[in-house]
Amino acid sequence: MKVSELSPAEFSKRLKRRGIYLKTGPFISHIRSSIPAVARNLSLLYSDHQLMTSEDFADFHIELFRSRGLRRWYRPQVNFSFDGHIPFKPLPLAQAFPMFEWTLNWCIANHSNQYLILHAAAIEKDGLAVILPAPPGTGKSTLCAGLSSRGWRLLSDELAILRLGDMKLLPLARPINLKNDSIDIMRQYTPDATFGQTSHDTAKGDVAHMKPSTDSVIRSDETATPTWIIFPKYVANENISLTLRSKAQTFIYAAENAFNYSALGLKGFQAMEHLIDSCHCYDFIYSDLDQAVEQFNSLPLSEEITP
Amino acid sequence: MKPDCILVTALTDPGIMRSLNLKQWDLLIRQARNANLSGRLNTLCHENGLLEHIPEQAINHLSSAQILADRQVDTIRWEVNRIQQALERLDVPVVLLKGAAYLLSGLPAAKGRIFTDIDLLFRKKEIDAVEKTLLLFGWFPTKMDEYDQRYYRTWMHEIPPLSHIKRHSVLDVHHAILPETASLHPDTEKLLENIIPVKGFDNLFTLSEVDMVLHSATHLFHDGELENGLRDLIDLDALLRHFSENNPDFWNDIVLRAHDLELSRPLYYAFKYSNKLLNTPIPKNILTSLDQSPIKPLAWFMDRLFSRALQPDHASCDDGFTGIARWLLYVRSHYLRMPFQLLLPHLLRKAWMRRFNEQDTTI
């Protein structure tokens, strides 16, 4: 059953009482919350996602709840509980939905060593995938959101999940986390897309989530072959450029920014080696999203540059 | 009390995992994760050839935990190698305690055990030189306010934990197995007399077999706050089974040694609860010869507390009294650690700091 098959009122009632069993890519999360903003954003941004009819097993059992006591009145807060344990300090109540997204990322990144998990966005077209690593503030999410509204399928905007056996990328297709200026840029660039509430003054500035396309959610069991690793960088007024990047540097960066590269030990090294060997690695500078989309639609399939 | 938590059942009778349904697996994985026993559970599944009977959803979590446990074996071995190199010049015996000791001695208790800190034991007069040398090799005291620093150095049986600036490994450096202010006083000198060398290393030791068990029992029943209670009891069970199988004198030896080190009471509790929860085969005459049961009403009361606190820390294993049982044992652990006139100001200060200073997260 899809989330959208429940009315918002039914959805929030179920979320509050026995919780929902939400499928995102290979993971099932049992989520409970009585916080209205969490229910509202979930039913809006996850409306194409599946609710499991069998509620026997969940990978993660999580709850978001308001701090009790006096604080409830003068400085309301939201807490995250991971099956009864509270690993993080509370956040202001207004950040309840961003907290849900961050903590679900944490659950996945910390409990899934059957995969190699990179801190990167990933998109796919014709079965071939681009991995977009890059430090925060480089326009990675903006580019990922832009491409996913122009014919590319979203795999993930934050966690690139690689299956160790065949090194396929598994889709996660969750809302795209946009920060600060990107929020308005994407609202203008994709007027048809659905956006959640903007949360102000979080640790990462203003944050809003953009709903993933229906197509990427429906196809979230379809894996993709990693083919390019591209480090994007938004530089205002700069000419677009795609330049080869050293594989050694790419390896080191990807390893340092993977969530569980070192936990995987030798397996991690072998998987990363295989990944870097089988991908074309580039640096990419852009200042205009349309140009960027055009470039991505003609990415070279051999190690030569055709800008 | 809730009857039989599924994790305890699976640990004592792994065969039942053949016939669990998906809902039961969900609960088992959750209890194991909260009790820090997922790696152990995975080991049991392998050893008993159960993999083909386990649903894929559950296998994912078990193997994810196993990967962590495997990785940790490499990490701990490497850290121990670094420690030994660093302390070579000092000419003091380096004694490993608990997890690292089980691992380096190849004991079954180490299989799938998930832990991160390395515990070490030295003579008190050697601590200063050890700390300075470890500092040279990158192990710095963890950040702590002055009160906590002073508290550790004056009253505790260890110095503030050391953390490596690059690799972030954490060392707990002890000069005794209980605080100086505790009601029991096991003599470190006596423990050091019987240490046994770790094969393949020059200056690396563990406690003797009986002392290893006594330390584990003391840590769990006289000092700890039982946050890893069931995991520690699993250690005891594995140690007792392994040592008693290979040494017919083991039971008599350990009772005599416990008496010698003033540790008969913790050993009594260790025997009682590993037998009660995990069916550890303790000879009847040994339990009676220890003769350490507290007076009847107290024994009844302690039983109510331990039986609850030794269950996995998961809502499905709790009853209405679990919270208070854990809290009372927390208070007890402090009470056993230091006399009342020290304890009261300490706990008041801790409560105050916790309430008004969010950075304070120690002890």
Side-chain angles (χ1 to χ4, degrees), chain A residues 21 28 30 54-61 71 82-85 89 110-115 164 262-267, chain B residues 22-27 29-31 33-34 57-58 60-61 63-65 67-68 70-71 74 313-315 355 358-359 361:
Chain A
Y21 282 68
I28 295 166
H30 175 206
S54 152
E55 302 190 341
D56 286 344
F57 192 95
D59 294 288
F60 315 116
H61 296 261
R71 278 199 190 240
F82 181 65
D83 207 0
H85 283 248
K89 287 190 173 151
N110 279 281
H111 300 93
S112 314
N113 293 316
Q114 68 273 36
Y115 306 119
L164 288 177
S262 88
L264 289 172
L266 181 61
K267 271 187 195 164
Chain B
L22 200 54
K23 212 176 177 67
Q24 290 168 313
W25 270 109
D26 177 86
L27 197 58
I29 294 287
R30 296 166 70 181
Q31 291 179 359
R33 183 156 58 199
N34 281 16
Q57 293 97 316
N60 280 341
H61 287 276
S63 52
S64 183
I67 285 169
L68 273 192
D70 288 346
R71 176 68 186 134
D74 298 339
D313 188 5
H314 189 264
R355 186 78 186 79
E358 302 207 328
Q359 286 173 346
T361 51

Side-chain angles (χ1 to χ4, degrees), chain B residues 261-279:
Chain B
L261 289 170
E262 299 184 30
L263 297 176
S264 300
R265 178 64 68 88
L267 183 65
Y268 169 80
Y269 281 132
F271 282 175
K272 178 167 173 181
Y273 289 101
S274 66
N275 173 263
K276 185 174 167 183
L277 264 81
L278 304 172
N279 305 329

Side-chain angles (χ1 to χ4, degrees), chain B residues 8-28:
Chain B
V8 178
T9 315
L11 291 168
T12 47
D13 183 9
I16 64 125
M17 287 189 271
R18 254 179 254 275
S19 49
L20 297 182
N21 62 34
L22 200 54
K23 212 176 177 67
Q24 290 168 313
W25 270 109
D26 177 86
L27 197 58
L28 181 56

